[in-house]
Amino acid sequence: EVQLVESGGGLVQAGGSLRLSCAASGFTFDDYAIGWFRQAPGKDREGVSCISSYDGSTYHADSVKGRFTISSDNAKNTVYLQMNSLKPEDTAVYYCATIIHQQYACSGHLYARRFDYWGQGTQVAVSS
């Protein structure tokens, strides 16, 4: 059974940092893409970042480029999202999601419907 478990959310002041973790299990960590999405109250889900083991590609949305960095530790089956210079508009529930064994490259806009498995989410709140 594929499972994704997010952790690392919390409350931080504007300008601060958080590191989110997405621990994956139930599949071999060799051909996957993991994306981070976020959803604020009353807003659509937004694709934030993505990393692919297929070709090593990464993607960051313009709204977070230069502030967020996605990385992976394949030995730990874990993907991280380092979030620096946080802004109040980054406040949302953050979800990780995965596509497995489809040779998916993270080359552009993330479409949530392409991702098959989802975690339960972790809340990030940034105060001004």
Side-chain angles (χ1 to χ4, degrees):
E1 179 187 4
V2 175
Q3 286 191 326
L4 301 174
V5 179
E6 302 98 333
S7 60
L11 174 64
V12 65
Q13 289 188 332
S17 298
L18 285 173
R19 188 178 78 159
L20 305 184
S21 299
C22 174
S25 62
F27 62 97
T28 54
F29 219 57
D30 55 358
D31 179 5
Y32 68 86
I34 286 184
W36 283 98
F37 294 80
R38 66 187 182 186
Q39 189 163 20
K43 295 189 176 180
D44 292 336
R45 188 166 295 191
E46 175 190 11
V48 174
S49 300
C50 179
I51 189 166
S52 167
S53 71
Y54 168 61
D55 64 354
S57 58
T58 60
Y59 164 81
H60 294 87
D62 288 344
S63 57
V64 305
K65 199 171 291 182
R67 301 187 299 121
F68 290 12
T69 303
I70 192 169
S71 63
S72 65
D73 184 337
N74 288 347
K76 296 183 178 180
N77 285 16
T78 301
V79 168
Y80 304 98
L81 185 66
Q82 179 66 44
M83 305 187 298
N84 298 329
S85 302
L86 283 161
K87 304 175 181 180
E89 52 263 44
D90 294 317
T91 295
V93 178
Y94 283 71
Y95 301 89
C96 65
T98 190
I99 301 170
I100 57 176
H101 302 155
Q102 294 188 35
Q103 301 178 339
Y104 182 90
C106 298
S107 58
H109 183 82
L110 301 181
Y111 293 93
R113 63 180 179 271
R114 286 292 316 274
F115 288 76
D116 300 315
Y117 303 94
W118 291 77
Q120 81 289 349
T122 186
Q123 176 72 53
V124 171
V126 184
S127 62
S128 57

